[in-house]
Amino acid sequence: MSNTAAADPGTEAAAPRRAVEVEDLCVSFPSPERGKVTVVNEVSFSLDRGRTLAIVGESGAGKSMLSLALLGLTPKPGWVTASRVVVDGIDVTTLNDKGWSKVRGKNISMVFQDALSGLNPVRSVGAVLMEVIRRHQGVSKAQARQAATEMLESVGIPDAKTRLTVYPHQLSGGLRQRVMIALALVNRPAVLIADEPTTALDATIQAQILELLAEMITDAALLLVTHDLGVATSISDQIAVMYAGRFVEFGPTEEVLRRPRHPYSAGLLSAVPRFERERRPLVAIPGSPPSPSEVGQGCPFAPRCTRVQDRCITDRPPLEDLEGHPVACWNPVPA
Amino acid sequence: MTAPLLRTEDVVVRFRVGRRSLTAVDRVSLSVPKGETVGLVGESGSGKTTFGLAVMRAIDPNHGRVVFDGVDLTALGERRMRPFRRRMQMIFQDPFASLDPKMKVGRIISEPMRIHSIGDRQEIASRVSSLLEAVGLPSDTVQRYPTQFSGGQKQRISIARALATDPEFLVADEPVSALDVSIQAQVIAVLDQVKKRFGLTTLIIAHDLALVYQVTDRIAVMYLGQIVEEGPTADVVFDPRHPYTASLLSASPVPDPEVERTRERIVLRGDPPSPISPPSACRFHTRCPIARPVCATETPALVSCGPNRTVACHFPGELGPVLDGR
């Protein structure tokens, strides 16, 4: 293995603080009527190790497509364009499949919603873990076995040594998700993408997994993709609200939750039930999210927005700094 | 508390699993007062859906009574059950699976009326259009197929179908959990409107405590087939007496940084045990943060612990409250 190029994923240099940098990332699919449909549009952000960014949005907002793009897993015939995507110091925009296989699982990894489909059903937990370790670390089988056992212990799997031989279906949903987290973190990636990691789990197990994620993510950047604003609140430093493929509001979690400026963020927050002594009726957002092929030239939220103006129909508002954090709106909610 | 429209007494439902038997619902007694909404809360495997099906007599309980408007339904044969089927309806979690994709919406909504021989063609048509209006769908919906609608619209169609026979009692099993956040609030509002308009009594089955808090008058919490706590909604949420209720409340994240930062988080260890071989005595004792030896040897009875509320715990109230509910 060559050790000359800075982009070599095998280089053991001091880990850069900046874990991921994305500029103007788009994911598009060919469309018979429109030539192409863009499902992720002009997304830019950067994230340091030890920080958590929650990407919040509803189904079809493009959150999962964004995650897959960052992992080099955009499903065919889709394609990614970006002016810059740097993961752990590596420019990934030019990587081919072989290049990606060195980066994925080592510099960036992922935890999926459904651990049963994320794990290979015919291979034991230990075999999969050891393979991932050996692929990226070049250690002996015995060393890999030791590392796998330690990793399972650190994610709170009781009796880790004997669990190496079990298959995914023999584990409960909570334990499977712990195995997924072990698998994702075993090579100490700079970036962990967790796509709805607790959505399939019961409340008490969700609490365990969120606690575990918070504990384990001390040295990696966590990109948490979720539809659940409560989950995002409990674990993130920053929130990006995504609608119709774009970030429409992006800022520190407390600020976005306390003073949402985009009408969609504000709408989502008032649609969620909470525990307040004075029960207020939930305020629904009328209509439903657009499919990517329906998005016109104006603000994609305009058809559902209570603050809509003429301009919103014709011009798309850019994501611009608004007293503290970026918001894409011509008529933002007053602070 | 007004007289119950529906009450169950010691309902038991068992399933055979291979050679063993699984008690999904274990001696559940619950009352749903007329005109009120009761929420049944629990995690997967707690037996809440099975209980809902037993209430509808979609499953026959192995033991116990289901009393609707003073009549024990479990004693009725299918023929005498029919008038009651008309008076009780159910909506399900998955509107994609519960609507026949090959039937036009008009036919889906009117089917219960045809089954129960309610009204002639004209009456059926006019009832369908008034139901569509009640759930906020345009009248041309009748000519279309379910696949042409979004999840939220499909759930509105399910609600319209459930209301077709003019029922008094509605069981809603996870009515919004398959829907997006912005759509959930729409469907909750529709449920609330039709409840008032048609004078419904409702049993809502859900895992989302914040949602159940929002829409119910009373809450019952289930764990491994049994009710562990029951009472007026605000009392249960802000002053939980059972440690499982307190843990569930503390595990429900809400989008409020203040609450998330200040509340006491109780994280339960381990997984819920299998209902095939539930723990002895108090079933929660294997995960309970305040369990003591007695909890593994003596079953706590569901007893009164304040006005209109009950709890099954040897040490009630020791672990709550967890929310201050500003």
Side-chain angles (χ1 to χ4, degrees):
Chain A
M1 196 187 287
S2 116
N3 246 350
T4 49
D8 188 326
T11 309
E12 285 291 331
R17 285 314 294 168
R18 180 57 51 87
V20 59
E21 250 181 290
V22 176
E23 247 178 70
D24 289 331
L25 185 138
C26 301
V27 180
S28 307
F29 284 83
S31 147
E33 300 97 50
R34 298 172 36 136
K36 67 168 180 177
V37 166
T38 303
V39 296
V40 176
N41 225 320
E42 292 169 11
V43 164
S44 302
F45 66 93
S46 63
L47 197 59
D48 286 347
R49 287 171 178 265
R51 309 288 288 171
T52 296
L53 167 64
I55 298 188
V56 175
E58 299 180 282
S59 43
K63 335 182 272 296
S64 293
M65 281 298 158
L66 171 59
S67 318
L68 292 174
L70 292 173
L71 289 152
L73 292 174
T74 299
K76 296 244 154 28
W79 71 93
V80 179
T81 60
S83 37
R84 190 174 158 79
V85 183
V86 177
V87 173
D88 200 14
I90 303 161
D91 176 3
V92 297
T93 51
T94 54
L95 290 184
N96 56 15
D97 285 355
K98 200 168 162 229
W100 265 116
S101 69
K102 285 184 188 162
V103 171
R104 207 185 298 126
K106 163 99 178 116
N107 306 87
I108 184 167
S109 60
M110 183 158 179
V111 173
F112 296 92
Q113 170 174 350
D114 179 3
L116 202 52
S117 57
L119 293 167
N120 187 337
V122 298
R123 303 199 57 201
S124 70
V125 164
V128 175
L129 256 173
M130 283 163 62
E131 184 198 313
V132 171
I133 293 167
R134 294 195 69 193
R135 186 188 303 155
H136 295 289
Q137 295 185 11
V139 294
S140 74
K141 224 169 166 177
Q143 284 169 312
R145 188 186 310 275
Q146 179 62 26
T149 313
E150 281 166 17
M151 197 64 210
L152 286 184
E153 270 163 11
S154 72
V155 295
I157 292 183
D159 204 8
K161 207 161 191 168
T162 55
R163 301 275 185 164
L164 288 177
T165 58
V166 306
Y167 291 86
H169 73 270
Q170 294 171 295
L171 297 170
S172 68
L175 285 182
R176 278 202 293 267
Q177 206 55 296
R178 285 175 190 268
V179 170
M180 283 281 283
I181 291 170
L183 205 53
L185 293 180
V186 72
N187 289 317
R188 303 181 176 281
V191 187
L192 175 68
I193 299 180
D195 190 350
E196 303 278 6
T198 61
T199 305
L201 304 175
D202 274 322
T204 59
I205 309 301
Q206 165 168 291
Q208 293 174 4
I209 297 297
L210 290 176
E211 186 186 63
L212 176 69
L213 273 176
E215 261 170 39
M216 300 294 291
I217 297 294
T218 46
D219 200 40
L222 173 63
L223 201 65
L224 175 77
V225 174
T226 179
H227 73 285
D228 187 326
L229 281 160
V231 168
T233 307
S234 68
I235 196 170
S236 70
D237 309 300
Q238 285 182 296
I239 284 189
V241 180
M242 214 170 165
Y243 191 79
R246 291 172 187 276
F247 283 7
V248 295
E249 180 156 13
F250 184 18
T253 300
E254 288 232 17
E255 221 176 283
V256 173
L257 290 166
R258 275 180 205 286
R259 281 177 298 276
R261 306 300 305 278
H262 196 285
Y264 177 62
S265 320
L268 272 186
L269 282 164
S270 45
V272 183
R274 303 154 186 254
F275 299 110
E276 287 171 333
R277 288 226 186 239
E278 202 68 44
R279 281 194 288 195
R280 289 176 297 188
L282 301 178
V283 187
I285 304 176
S288 44
S291 87
S293 59
E294 290 164 8
V295 176
Q297 55 181 351
C299 169
F301 187 59
R304 307 176 70 192
C305 186
T306 50
R307 301 178 57 80
V308 65
Q309 299 172 331
D310 290 347
R311 194 179 182 186
C312 308
I313 315 287
T314 52
D315 299 322
R316 195 182 47 248
L319 187 66
E320 276 179 343
D321 209 45
L322 190 84
E323 299 148 46
H325 68 260
V327 180
C329 182
W330 294 125
N331 186 23
V333 179
Chain B
M1 207 164 40
T2 54
L5 178 62
L6 177 117
R7 85 173 192 272
T8 68
E9 290 169 14
D10 280 333
V11 164
V12 175
V13 181
R14 290 193 199 95
F15 294 114
R16 293 186 65 86
V17 181
R19 262 190 238 155
R20 298 207 276 181
S21 141
L22 178 161
T23 306
V25 177
D26 193 8
R27 286 161 291 148
V28 170
S29 301
L30 181 71
S31 286
V32 186
K34 199 167 190 152
E36 293 196 359
T37 300
V38 171
L40 186 59
V41 174
E43 297 179 279
S44 48
S46 63
K48 55 191 195 303
T49 291
T50 305
F51 177 75
L53 293 172
V55 161
M56 296 295 296
R57 268 208 56 198
I59 291 179
D60 281 321
N62 298 72
H63 176 82
R65 310 200 312 153
V66 176
V67 182
F68 182 83
D69 199 12
V71 178
D72 178 8
L73 300 184
T74 56
L76 301 182
E78 194 43 49
R79 216 167 60 85
R80 291 177 58 210
M81 184 64 209
R82 267 181 84 93
F84 291 95
R85 298 224 178 268
R86 190 181 151 164
R87 297 170 67 187
M88 328 165 65
Q89 291 289 331
M90 186 160 184
I91 56 175
F92 301 92
Q93 170 171 3
D94 186 354
F96 299 86
S98 56
L99 300 175
D100 186 337
K102 296 196 294 294
M103 270 164 93
K104 282 186 179 165
V105 171
R107 201 167 167 77
I108 289 175
I109 296 176
S110 61
E111 191 176 36
M113 282 184 269
R114 284 182 276 108
I115 288 171
H116 289 281
S117 317
I118 304 168
D120 57 28
R121 263 180 92 108
Q122 189 140 36
E123 282 162 344
I124 288 178
S126 91
R127 178 143 184 94
V128 167
S129 70
S130 88
L131 288 169
L132 283 174
E133 183 262 320
V135 298
L137 288 171
S139 55
D140 67 353
T141 304
V142 289
Q143 292 301 333
R144 295 164 68 188
Y145 290 94
T147 48
Q148 295 172 275
F149 296 91
S150 67
Q153 290 168 324
K154 282 194 188 118
Q155 205 55 307
R156 290 172 196 249
I157 294 169
S158 305
I159 295 169
R161 174 179 60 183
L163 297 174
T165 61
D166 198 15
E168 296 140 72
F169 182 68
L170 184 70
V171 174
D173 188 359
E174 298 280 8
V176 300
S177 58
L179 306 175
D180 269 324
V181 180
S182 73
I183 311 298
Q184 286 193 352
Q186 293 175 7
V187 172
I188 290 165
V190 169
L191 277 173
D192 191 49
Q193 283 154 16
V194 298
K195 178 190 146 64
K196 289 188 181 117
R197 179 157 161 186
F198 298 95
L200 292 171
T201 302
T202 315
L203 177 66
I204 289 192
I205 298 168
H207 70 285
D208 182 344
L209 255 171
L211 168 78
V212 169
Y213 169 67
Q214 181 76 33
V215 299
T216 60
D217 302 294
R218 301 179 64 78
I219 289 182
V221 182
M222 267 183 106
Y223 187 75
L224 282 180
Q226 300 175 331
I227 289 183
V228 296
E229 171 155 23
E230 199 263 337
T233 295
D235 296 355
V236 171
V237 166
F238 294 113
D239 184 20
R241 313 302 291 174
H242 198 283
Y244 178 61
T245 313
S247 313
L248 268 187
L249 284 162
S250 109
S252 310
V254 289
D256 184 328
E258 183 82 26
V259 174
E260 288 303 315
R261 210 170 340 103
T262 56
R263 80 158 139 204
E264 195 185 336
R265 171 111 33 218
I266 307 161
V267 178
L268 294 181
R269 300 297 143 199
D271 286 314
S274 158
I276 295 181
S277 49
S280 61
C282 174
R283 292 183 169 186
F284 187 55
H285 84 263
T286 52
R287 301 175 78 205
C288 181
I290 58 164
R292 278 164 241 182
V294 62
C295 305
T297 55
E298 275 174 51
T299 307
L302 194 61
V303 293
S304 169
C305 66
N308 271 325
R309 59 184 299 196
T310 52
V311 68
C313 178
H314 292 302
F315 306 100
E318 237 179 62
L319 206 65
V322 290
L323 296 165
D324 69 358
R326 290 171 302 117

